[in-house]
Amino acid sequence: MKTELLTVLDTTDKNAEIAHAADVICHGGLVVFPTETVYGIGGNGTDPLAAEAIYRAKGRPSDNPLILHISEPKEAEKYAYTNDLYDRLAAQFMPGPLTVILPKKDIVPKTVTGGLDTVALRCPAHPVAHALIKAAGVPIAAPSANLSGKPSPTLASHVVNDLLGKVDIIIDGGAAEVGLESTIVSLAGEKPTLLRPGAITYDALCLALGEVEIAPAVVEGLRENEKPLSPGMKYRHYAPGAPLTLLDGEDEAVTAFMCEAAKNANTGILCYDEEIPKMPQGAVLFSVGAKDDLSTQAHRLFAVLREADTNPNITALFAHLPPQKGLGLALYNRLIRAAAHTVKKV
Ligand code: TXA
Ligand code: MG
């Protein structure tokens, strides 16, 4: 398949490109588009064949459901049984980096929901995503636009590496602002439950909803015989080619450990900006952002991990263990998986 590359940085004078991409979606094609979290690979969310094409292009098991992207929060009513809690979340966080799980209506094909009776809904804030969904006139089913097992793409070049020749269109909309996938909260069970932490923090959800449970798999591995609340939890997550170790300890101790490790030229170190001048010559350094700037760390994480993976000389990777609060919980959740839960106390 020949993949068309379009650049749409500004929606105001790019209506023709958006209309063309929307037309491709309506005819069963696949379009990669930017969102404020990560890039998504989208197809017509009411068409079971489009969902199958998405699973094929990503190499994703078809029991791992897709998120339906809508252009306005109130559209959720067409596809799911909404409730008061949904209305509260919609009023506060939509459009934005939040996905809500609700009981689905029959109009949503089971291929999209991986056979589940619930559906994931998200109303993205990115202007290109918004314009595309509106122009298509259908909800857009879209998982992250990476090959299964790779980090989610935050740049169009990541998508080109993974999916060129496998989709009809890739829309380049610049760097994804947040850099980590949306927060997922389920309103389909007895209590609201956080399934995946993201830029909408746990504390923000509690303020809006009252009590919110945290699915154990957010911070731990899935226990043996535990039924995952989200099918995505049971699949192998991205892990870099070189084993990643997360360092847990006082700042000074971690920096000292990194400095020592950095003497080995085959080591890759994900360090804070302020640590860079302290590191000796030798290792490959990746600056993740300033220590207190978790937004930049989130924004850069997946790009840094992809970059580290392209360096065949790196045989070991080290990074800070993020704090489990605020946006740190989302970083923790992604890094602990990438590290296969390898944490070293220093
Ligand atoms: O930020 C994002 O959410 C990006 C952009 C493109 O919107 N999308 C994304 O999709 O990260 P994906 O498919 O890579 O991750 C969605 C996760 C999967 O782990 C899936 O198992 C879970 O959401 N999920 C989808 N529908 C679900 C449902 N009905 N119940 C529980 N989990 C569900
Ligand atoms: Mg994904």
Side-chain angles (χ1 to χ4, degrees), residues 38 58 60 64 143-146 150-153 181 196 237:
V38 299
K58 261 184 83 82
R60 175 176 187 151
N64 190 2
S144 49
N146 50 289
K150 292 255 209 145
S152 293
E181 307 88 344
R196 181 173 74 183
H237 277 265

Side-chain angles (χ1 to χ4, degrees), residues 37-40 60 64-65 67 69 99 101 116 118-120 122 142-144 181-182 184 195-196 229-232:
T37 55
V38 299
Y39 277 76
R60 175 176 187 151
N64 190 2
I67 297 175
H69 293 68
T99 296
I101 312 282
L116 298 177
T118 53
V119 62
R122 158 153 144 75
S144 49
E181 307 88 344
S182 60
I184 303 182
L195 302 185
R196 181 173 74 183
L229 289 171
S230 177

Side-chain angles (χ1 to χ4, degrees), residues 191-232:
K191 286 191 184 156
T193 306
L194 176 69
L195 302 185
R196 181 173 74 183
I200 306 295
T201 62
Y202 174 71
D203 288 346
L205 290 176
C206 290
L207 277 177
L209 299 175
E211 212 184 324
V212 179
E213 310 248 291
I214 302 184
V218 165
V219 286
E220 298 161 19
L222 209 55
R223 296 178 199 131
E224 214 178 327
N225 299 325
E226 180 182 344
K227 188 178 178 303
L229 289 171
S230 177

Side-chain angles (χ1 to χ4, degrees), residues 276-346:
I276 299 262
K278 299 178 189 159
M279 295 290 151
Q281 295 267 312
V284 188
L285 305 179
F286 301 93
S287 80
V288 296
K291 175 180 176 345
D292 294 328
D293 186 357
L294 296 177
S295 302
T296 298
Q297 292 175 35
H299 177 76
R300 286 190 195 161
L301 178 67
F302 288 151
V304 162
L305 288 173
R306 276 186 183 252
E307 203 188 322
D309 248 356
T310 61
N311 187 332
N313 297 326
I314 297 179
T315 54
L317 283 166
F318 294 97
H320 290 269
L321 182 72
Q324 290 181 49
K325 56 176 197 289
L327 185 55
L329 184 63
L331 281 162
Y332 181 95
N333 169 269
R334 306 311 190 276
L335 274 167
I336 202 91
R337 283 166 170 65
H341 295 269
T342 310
V343 178
K344 184 174 173 55
K345 278 246 175 233
V346 294

